[in-house]
Amino acid sequence: MRWTVGVVFTLAVFFSAALLFLAEPMFGKMVLPWLGGSPSVWTTCMLFFQAALLLGYLYAHLGPRWLGVRRHALLHLSLLVLWLLALPVRMIGIPGTLRVEHPTAWLIAVLGWSIAAPFILLSSTGPLLQVWFSRTSHPGAQNPYFLYAASNSGSLLALLCYPFIVERMLPLAGQAQLWSIGYVIVVVLVGMAVAAVVAPEFTRPAEPETLDPPMSLTKRARWIALAFVPSSLFLALTTYLTTDVAAVPLLWVVPLVLYLLSFTLVFSRRAYISHSLLVRWQPVGLIALVVLNFWGPSGSSPWLVPLHLIVLFATALVCHGELAASKPPTSRLTDFYLCIAVGGLLGGIFNALIAPTLFASVQEYSLTLLAACAVRPASQAPSLPHRARQIGLIVAASAILVLTRLAIDDRKALAAALIASAVAAVICLRFSRDPVRFTLAMAG
């Protein structure tokens, strides 16, 4: 029956994504005895997984085009079956002094040697199964993006289950065995999906192979930017919270959960949150955080953690909502996911490799807040004289804030500081409909 095809594809995507997000914290825990639990270890692990995700999406993009959907489906299943010989997964250490001299390079090399192959195969399964599903005779085949929501739901469930259930109940060896069992289940489900792709009764009649017009470079750059900002923001916030606010166990889980949940919500078949409402209110949170960061330690209070998380969630929903609203036809589906993976990887590179060498503190958090302002959708185009007057207001408000901060040691300046902050915040809010002016105002 055709409805069973939809169930099989959904379960295959769900379990493959769950395995990916069980592997991430599991291998992160495996390297703890070697490198410790600093935020840089988690950021580097995320960089590796984002790079592997990009390779998986590239494989999913090129494979069906070079070999055809059916032949590549059989090849993909064969590769998954072949990797069964390497189970159970384990960390393969690299001897020498590289771990002490260059811990980041050592960690990436260890992860690549230990788990790169299955991670790339599993990460490609999501977009591949969406391509396969679009070729079936299922009623929903023309809109397979709901499978992306199922994928992120699996990631989210695995991420929540690991610290609260898996880690507490099983040692690392038991976790590796559980992961191996899950991998076998995925292989079986993918095999059933391949059977549906190959079987004539489940596939649409053959049609001439056509592709929609190529996506413009502007649209691709927009997709990459919209994927980059939430990726960089959740990594920067994770580092900020665990270093400057509170070293609370499992605090790193919360930003990643919100990041994944935003994907699930915006790509689901139902609209759970109004996108226009989010676009309208997101600037309020961004402005609040920028004002708090301007005054220094005041923004690092533990009681402000919910505000940081709310702004992250709202920003991820806005960016990912813009992605969902601009998703292409199914013939360009893998192009779309490839751009998302590139943006995610660039976020990891910026936070894991570039920012630690450029900044002595977590300055990347402030920069990603500005980037979140820059990628907001524009809703109006003011005239040049009006824009010039408003830029003058930005300069004036910035000067008032700087002069006030220089005098902040005087208690009498506290009222002036609050007034100056309120004036600057109101000016920024007035510019929020134009991303260029809004970013300039917030930077000022």
Side-chain angles (χ1 to χ4, degrees):
M1 296 179 64
R2 287 188 173 88
W3 69 269
T4 60
V5 174
V7 173
V8 167
F9 275 81
T10 302
L11 289 176
V13 170
F14 181 89
F15 278 104
S16 63
L19 281 187
L20 291 177
F21 276 82
L22 279 178
E24 290 184 17
M26 182 175 70
F27 270 82
K29 187 176 180 181
M30 286 181 180
V31 301
L32 286 182
W34 298 88
L35 296 176
S38 67
S40 62
V41 173
W42 170 242
T43 306
T44 303
C45 287
M46 286 303 302
L47 170 62
F48 167 81
F49 291 124
Q50 287 168 329
L53 185 72
L54 174 60
L55 291 176
Y57 282 9
L58 182 62
Y59 161 77
H61 175 69
L62 298 176
R65 297 188 178 188
W66 288 354
L67 299 176
V69 172
R70 292 189 178 185
R71 282 182 293 177
H72 186 259
L74 294 171
L75 172 64
H76 184 68
L77 178 61
S78 301
L79 292 175
L80 287 172
V81 172
L82 182 63
W83 212 85
L84 287 170
L85 301 175
L87 295 178
V89 293
R90 61 193 184 280
M91 193 188 82
I92 303 173
I94 296 179
T97 59
L98 182 64
R99 178 172 60 88
V100 178
E101 297 171 354
H102 303 285
T104 298
W106 179 87
L107 178 55
I108 292 175
V110 167
L111 290 172
W113 188 253
S114 302
I115 202 173
F119 199 95
I120 291 172
L121 287 174
L122 288 173
S123 63
S124 68
T125 300
L128 275 179
L129 263 68
Q130 291 181 59
V131 172
W132 301 351
F133 185 74
S134 68
R135 306 300 177 92
T136 68
S137 57
H138 191 277
Q142 296 303 312
N143 185 22
Y145 286 99
F146 74 92
L147 292 174
Y148 192 50
S151 171
N152 285 282
S153 298
S155 304
L156 183 61
L157 181 63
L159 186 65
L160 291 173
C161 286
Y162 183 82
F164 299 109
I165 299 176
V166 177
E167 188 178 23
R168 296 187 179 187
M169 296 182 63
L170 295 172
L172 278 174
Q175 294 173 28
Q177 292 176 356
L178 176 66
W179 195 92
S180 300
I181 294 171
Y183 184 85
V184 173
I185 294 174
V186 168
V187 171
V188 172
L189 289 170
V190 171
M192 296 171 67
V194 170
V197 172
V198 175
E201 63 269 23
F202 291 123
T203 54
R204 296 200 308 268
E207 299 175 357
E209 189 69 21
T210 59
L211 283 177
D212 290 288
M215 299 293 108
S216 66
L217 290 177
T218 302
K219 176 167 283 190
R220 291 175 186 271
R222 174 77 174 162
W223 286 341
I224 291 172
L226 288 170
F228 166 83
V229 169
S231 170
S232 181
L233 186 58
F234 104 78
L235 289 171
L237 178 58
T238 302
T239 305
Y240 176 76
L241 292 179
T242 54
T243 57
D244 291 357
V245 179
V248 178
L250 301 180
L251 187 59
W252 60 268
V253 174
V254 183
L256 183 54
V257 165
L258 297 177
Y259 174 77
L260 293 173
L261 181 59
S262 67
F263 272 119
T264 303
L265 292 176
V266 301
F267 280 94
S268 61
R269 290 177 171 176
R270 292 178 54 189
Y272 293 96
I273 302 176
S274 169
H275 184 67
S276 59
L277 190 65
L278 283 168
V279 172
R280 187 182 309 159
W281 286 101
Q282 179 209 14
V284 176
L286 290 171
I287 292 168
L289 288 186
V290 169
V291 170
L292 288 171
N293 286 346
F294 177 80
W295 293 111
S298 60
S300 300
S301 301
W303 64 274
L304 288 173
V305 170
L307 175 62
H308 290 278
L309 296 173
I310 289 171
V311 173
L312 166 66
F313 190 44
T315 299
L317 285 170
V318 168
C319 293
H320 295 156
E322 289 292 306
L323 283 173
S326 61
K327 59 183 182 287
T330 54
S331 64
R332 293 292 176 184
L333 180 146
T334 54
D335 300 69
F336 178 63
Y337 288 130
L338 194 60
C339 290
I340 292 178
V342 169
L345 177 61
L346 291 177
I349 290 173
F350 174 69
N351 286 270
L353 301 181
I354 298 176
T357 61
L358 295 180
F359 310 125
S361 57
V362 194
Q363 292 298 324
E364 61 267 28
Y365 184 41
S366 299
L367 293 177
T368 50
L369 289 175
L370 292 179
C373 301
V375 298
R376 282 177 47 78
S379 56
Q380 67 176 10
S383 63
L384 186 61
H386 184 59
R387 180 174 292 182
R389 288 194 299 270
Q390 292 186 333
I391 290 176
L393 284 176
I394 295 172
V395 175
S398 303
I400 292 172
L401 274 172
V402 171
L403 293 174
T404 305
R405 181 164 181 171
L406 292 175
I408 196 62
D409 290 338
D410 185 356
R411 289 186 178 181
K412 294 181 181 180
L414 180 58
L418 295 175
I419 294 172
S421 298
V423 170
V426 170
I427 292 174
C428 289
L429 189 60
R430 284 179 57 85
F431 300 158
S432 61
R433 293 184 178 182
D434 183 335
V436 174
R437 291 180 299 155
F438 187 45
T439 306
L440 288 173
M442 298 282 268

